[in-house]
Amino acid sequence: MSSFAPPADLAGATALYVEVQHFYGRQMRHLDEGEIQQWADTFTEDGVFTANAHPKPQEGRAAIVEGALAAHRKLADQGIRRRHWLGMLQVAEQPDGTIRADSYAIVLAIPAGGQAAVELSCSCADVLVRDGAGLRVRHRSVRRDDLPPR
Amino acid sequence: MSSFAPPADLAGATALYVEVQHFYGRQMRHLDEGEIQQWADTFTEDGVFTANAHPKPQEGRAAIVEGALAAHRKLADQGIRRRHWLGMLQVAEQPDGTIRADSYAIVLAIPAGGQAAVELSCSCADVLVRDGAGLRVRHRSVRRDDLPPR
Amino acid sequence: MSSFAPPADLAGATALYVEVQHFYGRQMRHLDEGEIQQWADTFTEDGVFTANAHPKPQEGRAAIVEGALAAHRKLADQGIRRRHWLGMLQVAEQPDGTIRADSYAIVLAIPAGGQAAVELSCSCADVLVRDGAGLRVRHRSVRRDDLPPR
């Protein structure tokens, strides 16, 4: 964790930390609301999504759309809504200008007319880049805490 | 979600985002600790609380106090403590000077001597106004994720 | 909660609130990853950890290390990972220069190959001090919501 040293530019570090929180709020809402194209647009065109629960990485926006659509349809068929929470955030600007953002994730599952429950606990390691006015994910690695690291 | 565009005033947007987080921490603690009058004071005098789980909106502080007192007494009788978490926050200043704040909510239920569990997952859409030195809720709309929209 | 009045120095209060969030993200990761020495280093040398679930306070870093190592070994033997979330944060600088930080805490338990679940809901009251470039905990009081106050 030595990369998360205290920042020289306090105001800038404060603004960036909040910006990443804001970004995640917007990004995960897109996924949870089934706005899959907008979800995919929060990744760079060549963005990569890798997870210890997936057999192989999703490489590029088209693959990310495909994966999210399949998951969303399956949940819709089951009448289940998901809510993704990211928290316990660590943010650090890297020497190459990218932003490393590490977070904990909780996935809640809420069946229509049923009992909400924790479905999954994960750790999420992102490489974010600034693209125009906003942030995008260039690389995301999600580790489900119940599964061994890949 | 197009209303959540990147802000022109970065320092101001950063401070507002954190202020809303701080406000919610204080507000929900009042509710969870049974400080119902202080809870009601975090709404404007004409504040409205509407929810897809309620038969009709609570309009004005007196109605909000009444609703919260009834809920709090019922939980106390059952020996249940609740903890409300708001997160995944989106904040945007509106052209009319109000502040739109959207969040996810988790309600935890903790029976005395028993097992804590997720009771509810909700989405919360607030219209906040600045009143003196602080924020107040003018309009809150809470949607339980397990129930259909009203 | 009257100590959490609106701050005179908005930019400073904003930066401090975010700094505490950042600190907690780093601190609890150390605990959850079993980095017990780094965890203990986030307390002052004379730091105190008290909890309504503990028979007596842990006083000083050595006692904090001892308690965390015992807990970590027990969980490792059971194949259980924990994730600590702190949220709903309240932060206030005190007249004596210390920082009061109150938070809600959720402890998730994730058995290897099993179902993640909420294990505990707690309230956490910290006294933080600035030590060199960063923050440390001088006094932590954790109250499990399912147990009576001590």
Side-chain angles (χ1 to χ4, degrees):
Chain A
M1 309 303 291
S2 60
S3 60
F4 297 110
D9 169 15
L10 182 60
T14 300
L16 179 61
Y17 190 92
V18 166
E19 185 182 10
V20 174
Q21 289 187 320
H22 215 157
F23 171 71
Y24 283 153
R26 180 166 66 83
Q27 183 190 43
M28 302 316 293
R29 231 170 224 94
H30 283 317
L31 182 62
D32 293 336
E33 300 291 347
E35 300 163 352
I36 303 300
Q37 193 57 59
Q38 293 98 311
W39 153 257
D41 285 347
T42 62
F43 289 80
T44 61
E45 185 64 42
D46 63 350
V48 173
F49 188 126
T50 178
N52 65 342
H54 294 176
K56 62 184 178 64
Q58 299 168 352
E59 300 185 332
R61 260 189 215 151
I64 290 170
V65 166
E66 190 184 357
L69 271 179
H72 189 71
R73 282 182 192 134
K74 188 175 163 191
L75 289 166
D77 287 347
Q78 299 171 310
I80 295 174
R81 176 183 283 284
R82 270 186 177 167
R83 295 287 179 195
H84 289 78
W85 286 61
L86 301 188
M88 301 306 283
L89 183 63
Q90 296 286 280
V91 175
E93 291 195 76
Q94 302 298 307
D96 66 359
T98 63
I99 296 150
R100 172 72 183 265
D102 286 10
S103 57
Y104 284 2
I106 297 176
V107 184
L108 296 173
I110 308 103
Q115 177 60 53
V118 173
E119 182 183 343
L120 295 171
S121 169
C122 305
S123 301
C124 178
D126 276 356
V127 177
L128 306 176
V129 294
R130 192 167 297 285
D131 189 354
L135 298 173
R136 292 192 207 269
V137 178
R138 175 181 285 170
H139 192 280
R140 171 165 293 179
S141 174
V142 175
R143 209 194 88 159
R144 268 175 52 179
D145 288 329
D146 57 314
L147 301 180
R150 180 171 296 274
Chain B
M1 310 302 294
S2 60
S3 60
F4 297 110
D9 170 14
L10 182 60
T14 300
L16 179 61
Y17 190 92
V18 166
E19 185 182 8
V20 174
Q21 289 186 320
H22 216 156
F23 171 72
Y24 283 153
R26 180 167 63 86
Q27 183 190 43
M28 302 317 293
R29 230 170 223 94
H30 283 319
L31 182 62
D32 294 336
E33 300 291 346
E35 302 164 351
I36 303 300
Q37 192 57 57
Q38 292 99 311
W39 152 259
D41 285 347
T42 63
F43 290 79
T44 61
E45 185 65 42
D46 63 350
V48 174
F49 189 125
T50 178
N52 66 341
H54 295 175
K56 63 186 179 62
Q58 299 167 352
E59 300 185 332
R61 260 190 216 151
I64 291 170
V65 166
E66 191 183 356
L69 271 179
H72 189 72
R73 282 183 192 134
K74 188 175 163 190
L75 289 165
D77 286 348
Q78 299 172 312
I80 294 174
R81 174 183 284 284
R82 270 184 177 170
R83 293 287 179 196
H84 289 77
W85 287 61
L86 301 188
M88 301 306 282
L89 183 64
Q90 296 287 279
V91 174
E93 290 195 75
Q94 302 299 307
D96 66 359
T98 63
I99 297 150
R100 172 71 182 267
D102 286 9
S103 57
Y104 284 2
I106 297 176
V107 185
L108 296 173
I110 307 102
Q115 177 59 55
V118 173
E119 181 182 344
L120 295 170
S121 169
C122 305
S123 301
C124 178
D126 277 355
V127 178
L128 306 177
V129 295
R130 192 166 296 285
D131 190 355
L135 299 172
R136 292 191 207 270
V137 179
R138 176 181 284 170
H139 192 281
R140 170 164 293 178
S141 175
V142 175
R143 209 194 88 160
R144 268 175 53 179
D145 287 330
D146 57 314
L147 300 180
R150 182 169 294 274
Chain C
M1 309 301 291
S2 59
S3 60
F4 296 110
D9 170 14
L10 182 60
T14 300
L16 178 61
Y17 190 92
V18 166
E19 186 182 9
V20 174
Q21 289 186 319
H22 216 155
F23 171 71
Y24 283 154
R26 180 167 64 85
Q27 182 190 45
M28 301 317 293
R29 230 170 225 93
H30 283 317
L31 182 62
D32 294 337
E33 300 291 346
E35 300 164 352
I36 303 300
Q37 192 58 58
Q38 292 98 313
W39 152 257
D41 286 347
T42 63
F43 289 79
T44 60
E45 185 64 44
D46 63 350
V48 174
F49 189 124
T50 177
N52 65 342
H54 293 176
K56 62 185 180 63
Q58 298 168 351
E59 301 185 331
R61 260 188 215 152
I64 291 171
V65 166
E66 190 184 357
L69 271 179
H72 189 71
R73 282 183 193 136
K74 189 175 163 189
L75 289 165
D77 286 348
Q78 299 172 310
I80 294 174
R81 175 182 284 284
R82 271 185 176 168
R83 294 287 179 195
H84 289 78
W85 286 62
L86 301 188
M88 302 306 282
L89 183 63
Q90 297 286 280
V91 174
E93 291 194 76
Q94 301 299 308
D96 65 359
T98 64
I99 297 150
R100 171 71 183 263
D102 285 10
S103 58
Y104 284 3
I106 296 176
V107 185
L108 295 174
I110 308 103
Q115 177 61 54
V118 173
E119 181 183 343
L120 295 171
S121 169
C122 306
S123 300
C124 178
D126 276 356
V127 177
L128 307 176
V129 295
R130 192 167 297 285
D131 189 355
L135 298 172
R136 293 192 206 269
V137 178
R138 175 180 285 170
H139 192 280
R140 170 163 293 177
S141 174
V142 175
R143 209 193 88 160
R144 269 175 52 179
D145 287 330
D146 57 313
L147 300 181
R150 180 171 295 272

